[in-house]
């Protein structure tokens, strides 16, 4: 139900959810905030557990985390890709290690190299995956007159920093996200081996789709991939 909280909230004696006191509730009411904004404000004041865990390994400041959280939204309209990156950011994407703890896998090892299977390993450290990122960088490092910074585990997991809202970096981040999703689908979904050749075929098909979408829905799909398609 839409609408604003009334001033009878001043009678509340106990703190409301998410750590907001009755006095804070009244303050929000006088400012004209909706119930939804009130609750979301309380929720967003909490640092997600996943962010705390990633911060220990890949530290950055508040602005850096803001960039990480909106990165997928900036580079794609595809819900499945945004949801996929959301799981990575919250550190809840299932890997063999997580699935083993839940009783859905016989062991926590990587299906490709037999090392412990974590999110960083699945996308950054596995030998098969490293080969894919090396090929990706050789193909797309220099394009449209811009040079991409070398990839590392942090940029693979969270995307390249895009302080200037660069379209080129958005495209790189889209491709990084798409390749991560393809790796995951092959390893945990279809349970097949991955290779750069297979990734290339997936990219060619994806580029054709993106080109079509930019023609039929230019208001939503404004990236143009002609020069990138020529690299394949």
């Amino acid at each position: 139900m839409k609408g604003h909280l009334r001033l009878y909230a001043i009678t509340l004696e106990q703190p409301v959810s998410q750590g907001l006191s009755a006095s804070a509730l009244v303050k929000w009411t006088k400012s004209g905030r909706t119930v939804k904004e009130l609750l979301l404000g309380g929720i967003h004041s909490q640092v997600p557990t996943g962010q705390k865990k990633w911060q220990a390994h890949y530290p950055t400041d508040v602005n850096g985390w803001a960039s990480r959280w909106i990165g997928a939204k900036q580079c794609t309209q595809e819900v499945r890709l945004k949801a996929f990156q959301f799981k990575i950011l919250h550190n809840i994407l299932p890997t063999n290690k997580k699935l083993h703890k839940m009783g859905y896998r016989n062991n926590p090892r990587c299906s490709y190299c037999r090392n412990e299977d974590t999110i960083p390993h699945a996308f950054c450290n596995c030998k098969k995956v490293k080969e894919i990122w090396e090929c990706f960088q050789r193909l797309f490092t220099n394009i449209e007159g811009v040079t991409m910074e070398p990839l590392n585990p942090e940029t693979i997991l969270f995307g390249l920093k895009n302080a200037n809202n660069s379209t080129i970096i958005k495209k790189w981040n889209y491709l990084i996200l798409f390749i991560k999703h393809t790796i995951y689908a092959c390893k945990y979904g279809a349970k097949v081996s991955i290779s750069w050749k297979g990734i290339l075929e997936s990219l060619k098909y994806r580029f054709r789709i993106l080109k079509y979408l930019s023609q039929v829905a230019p208001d939503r799909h404004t990236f143009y991939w002609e020069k990138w398609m020529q690299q394949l």
Side-chain angles (χ1 to χ4, degrees):
M1 182 180 69
K2 294 182 178 180
H4 297 284
L5 294 171
R6 304 302 177 187
L7 285 178
Y8 58 71
I10 200 170
T11 61
L12 292 177
E13 297 179 356
Q14 300 296 325
V16 297
S17 64
Q18 303 301 332
L20 294 172
S21 64
S23 59
L25 183 61
V26 174
K27 181 178 179 181
W28 278 69
T29 304
K30 290 181 178 179
S31 68
R33 299 299 184 98
T34 63
V35 175
K36 180 180 179 181
E37 289 170 332
L38 168 64
L39 295 177
L40 288 179
I43 293 171
H44 290 169
S45 66
Q46 310 286 326
V47 176
T49 302
Q51 178 175 323
K52 293 178 182 177
K53 291 180 178 179
W54 286 127
Q55 181 70 9
H57 299 284
Y58 307 104
T60 186
D61 56 17
V62 174
N63 292 330
W65 269 106
S67 176
R68 289 175 179 180
W69 284 110
I70 67 172
K73 183 178 180 181
Q74 286 182 330
C75 73
T76 183
Q77 294 287 337
E78 296 177 48
V79 175
R80 65 170 184 165
L81 292 183
K82 289 190 285 188
F84 177 76
Q85 184 63 20
F86 181 83
K87 291 177 182 179
I88 292 176
L89 288 166
H90 279 284
N91 199 27
I92 59 173
L93 187 72
T95 59
N96 285 339
K97 181 179 180 180
K98 291 182 183 293
L99 293 171
H100 177 67
K101 286 183 178 180
M102 298 166 64
Y104 292 107
R105 289 287 188 274
N106 294 328
N107 65 74
R109 301 296 176 181
C110 172
S111 307
Y112 297 143
C113 68
R114 312 311 298 171
N115 288 314
E116 188 176 59
D117 195 37
T118 62
I119 293 177
H121 176 81
F123 299 116
C124 309
N125 301 326
C126 178
K127 182 179 179 180
K128 273 186 169 291
V129 170
K130 284 183 177 180
E131 294 172 356
I132 288 174
W133 293 123
E134 288 171 1
C135 293
F136 171 76
Q137 288 189 98
R138 284 197 297 268
L139 193 62
F140 291 112
T141 292
N142 295 291
I143 194 164
E144 295 190 29
V146 181
T147 301
M148 180 177 66
E149 64 180 84
L151 292 179
N152 56 51
E154 181 178 352
T155 53
I156 291 171
L157 290 172
F158 308 119
L160 298 164
K161 295 180 180 179
N162 193 8
N164 298 322
N165 203 30
S166 165
T167 299
I168 303 283
I169 295 181
K170 288 179 183 179
K171 289 181 178 181
W172 274 322
N173 282 338
Y174 174 83
L175 294 180
I176 291 170
L177 180 53
F178 176 77
I179 291 174
K180 283 190 299 186
H181 187 270
T182 303
I183 291 170
Y184 190 83
C186 290
K187 184 175 182 178
Y188 302 97
K191 296 182 180 179
V192 297
S193 182
I194 55 173
S195 66
W196 177 239
K197 182 179 179 180
I199 294 289
L200 272 182
E201 291 302 315
S202 297
L203 281 174
K204 290 177 182 178
Y205 181 70
R206 176 58 50 176
F207 279 154
R208 289 197 295 269
I209 293 176
L210 292 172
K211 182 178 180 180
Y212 172 77
L213 291 174
S214 67
Q215 294 170 348
V216 299
D219 56 325
R220 295 188 61 193
H221 302 273
T222 57
F223 293 165
Y224 299 96
W225 298 89
E226 283 77 5
K227 291 184 180 179
W228 299 65
M229 294 174 68
Q230 294 170 8
Q231 298 290 107
L232 302 182

